[in-house]
Amino acid sequence: MSKQNQVTLEKIVSLCKRRGLVYPSAEIYGGINGVYDFGHLGTLIKRNIRNAWLKSLQKSFEDILFFEGSLLAPSPVWEASGHVQNFSDPMVDCLNCKHRFRADELDLKKPCPNCGQTKWTEVRQFNLMFQTNVGAIQDKSSIAYLRPETAQAIFINFKNIISTNRVKIPFGVSQIGKAFRNEITPKQFLFRSREFEQMEIEWFCNPENAINDFNLWCKARKEFYASLGLNMNKIRLREHGKDELAHYSISCTDVEYEFPFGWKEIEGIANRGNYDLTQHSKHSGKDLGVFDEETKQSYIPHVIECSVGSDRLFLTILCDAYTEDLIDSEERIVLKLSPEIAPIKAAFLPLVKKLNEPMYKIYQDIRLLGYEIEFDESGSIGKRYRRQDEIGTPLCFTYDFESINDNCVTVRHRDTTNQERISIDKIKEYLKNSLK
Ligand code: ATP
């Protein structure tokens, strides 16, 4: 790719806005920093990402349960988990321009990137959790927090989960849901936002198998990214140094992607040991151990966690798919999404409005099969192809004047723009085979 055709975050943001994938939240009121809304096509992509993730779990391991925890939890949960004490980032303010920064992302000996002065406040720890009060009385006992990670709801339900499902260690609990972090500097669009979605799996295992299972999960997660069609030269696993580990972690490996702004984490795979269940046992006074029938001993299971942000993955997928190329010496933008992730699987286009009726009938027939497809009659055929290219639609079917006589349509392939003619009664089979 030549330099001018390089993917930039600006290009992705602009495409998202232009095609209605993502909007800044509360825009008509001036917006809210680090919060986004997803439009029609963005919502479809998110849904496809979730489904792909769920499918990958089923493929990797047996015995994975589903779970949906609440977003709010009372203060004792976050005291036990260590988040009240430890879930903070170091913060520093420029005394001159009052800009706020994460101290670990700055060299404080250098001038302020905003105003060029070198006068800083002391570095303070800033807790990232959003605090609120539940109920009408605002005192210490009513303090609750919006969850900064989805995992804790699973740990505090551990007894409920094992007593109501017929599972034995090892097993996993998966969850997709929102998390909230009052990031000091939300940035890089969906990469670091204040409200985001996580897709997490908590894998409960015997302490003796934890390292082995951790390695199996690392392998499985890498396979997931390959299955999404991502460029695997831009994916790597990076083990955390001891100084980087979160307060609960024994070891951690990040899956990283090479974004236009550098190599960054997209998923954390952590060996959490028995930290969480032990903490919640201690603080709640409830035994969260399990009994091993073979050894006749009780123990607290260890946990391997794989946690990926769906919004961050959304951005990853767009960066990876975004392509600018020349078709008949005309520049086009195309999203080379895998068919599984593409929001619209196929477009049905009458060459001219006069041919709407027969094409609309074909479209209705296919739509009832449950495919996410579009009928588009407006504008020149070239313009309609460009729009479908930009939103990543793998196939366009076009009905032209010849179709009336030969009962065929033209199929156009997004990536190559090659066209072929197929019989109308073969469209269903063609779609099925192409979208596998
Ligand atoms: P980072 O170092 O980038 O802040 P983290 O190590 O704090 O991330 P985890 O707590 O491991 O992140 O969260 C798991 C996943 O949740 C991350 O890999 C990322 O995909 C996603 N995630 C975390 N924070 C955010 C955020 N502010 N905005 C969007 N996604 C996020």
Side-chain angles (χ1 to χ4, degrees), residues 116-140:
Q117 297 290 314
T118 319
K119 288 185 202 146
W120 301 106
T121 60
E122 291 285 295
V123 175
R124 291 103 69 210
Q125 287 298 321
F126 176 74
N127 195 294
L128 302 184
M129 285 196 295
F130 284 98
Q131 184 182 318
T132 185
N133 290 83
V134 171
I137 297 167
Q138 297 210 351
D139 63 11
K140 218 171 154 227

Side-chain angles (χ1 to χ4, degrees), residues 120-354:
W120 301 106
T121 60
E122 291 285 295
V123 175
R124 291 103 69 210
Q125 287 298 321
F126 176 74
N127 195 294
L128 302 184
M129 285 196 295
F130 284 98
Q131 184 182 318
T132 185
N133 290 83
V134 171
I137 297 167
Q138 297 210 351
D139 63 11
K140 218 171 154 227
S141 70
S142 66
I143 293 178
Y145 295 93
L146 281 172
R147 61 184 185 187
E149 60 172 29
T150 53
Q152 295 304 321
I154 295 177
F155 301 136
I156 60 179
N157 273 286
F158 184 66
K159 267 274 146 48
N160 283 335
I161 291 171
I162 46 174
S163 63
T164 53
N165 293 284
R166 290 193 290 161
V167 280
K168 272 203 221 131
I169 302 285
F171 69 92
V173 183
S174 66
Q175 177 172 207
I176 300 179
K178 288 267 183 167
F180 303 83
R181 294 182 189 179
N182 199 3
E183 298 280 359
I184 297 170
T185 44
K187 59 181 172 192
Q188 284 137 351
F189 192 36
L190 300 173
F191 181 82
R192 186 173 304 289
S193 50
R194 288 185 166 132
E195 175 181 330
F196 55 97
E197 187 178 84
Q198 288 185 315
M199 304 190 289
E200 288 195 331
I201 167 97
E202 306 302 325
W203 178 254
F204 297 94
C205 59
N206 190 305
E208 282 173 17
N209 299 330
I211 291 176
N212 183 51
D213 288 6
F214 178 83
N215 292 333
L216 289 177
W217 274 107
C218 286
K219 188 166 166 275
R221 302 309 301 143
K222 205 168 168 194
E223 280 163 13
F224 167 62
Y225 293 104
S227 80
L228 295 177
L230 294 180
N231 175 356
M232 293 308 279
N233 293 327
K234 293 189 165 205
I235 293 274
R236 71 179 184 199
L237 296 188
R238 189 185 67 84
E239 207 177 313
H240 275 211
K242 286 275 171 256
D243 54 333
E244 285 180 273
L245 290 176
H247 63 273
Y248 48 75
S249 232
I250 292 181
S251 62
C252 185
T253 291
D254 285 344
V255 182
E256 293 189 334
Y257 179 79
E258 191 181 12
F259 287 94
F261 42 90
W263 285 96
K264 300 278 175 192
E265 167 183 345
I266 51 174
E267 170 161 355
I269 307 169
N271 179 351
R272 296 178 79 122
N274 61 9
Y275 174 84
D276 303 275
L277 292 179
T278 305
Q279 285 293 104
H280 289 301
S281 280
K282 269 195 217 152
H283 284 248
S284 67
K286 306 281 186 305
D287 175 16
L288 299 180
V290 294
F291 185 72
D292 186 327
E293 292 291 348
E294 269 171 35
T295 61
K296 306 282 177 224
Q297 279 181 337
S298 292
Y299 67 93
I300 297 196
H302 279 210
V303 172
I304 309 299
E305 173 185 87
C306 308
S307 175
V308 47
S310 4
D311 312 276
R312 203 176 273 188
L313 182 52
F314 183 104
L315 179 64
T316 311
I317 288 172
L318 291 195
C319 290
D320 206 72
Y322 186 98
T323 312
E324 290 170 357
D325 59 15
L326 284 179
I327 299 298
D328 300 332
S329 59
E330 202 192 310
E331 225 178 76
R332 72 160 183 168
I333 294 169
V334 51
L335 275 189
K336 295 189 173 173
L337 297 170
S338 76
E340 192 180 15
I341 299 298
I344 305 296
K345 307 302 179 197
F348 289 76
L349 315 171
L351 184 65
V352 291
K353 283 204 173 157
K354 230 194 243 172

Side-chain angles (χ1 to χ4, degrees), residues 41 334-335 337 342-348 372-374 385 387-396 412-415:
L41 296 174
V334 51
L335 275 189
L337 297 170
I344 305 296
K345 307 302 179 197
F348 289 76
E372 209 57 64
I373 56 174
E374 269 189 3
Y385 283 151
R387 176 174 177 274
Q388 296 300 336
D389 288 342
E390 270 200 33
I391 64 172
T393 307
L395 299 171
C396 287
R412 175 184 177 274
H413 294 259
R414 177 194 67 198
D415 296 353

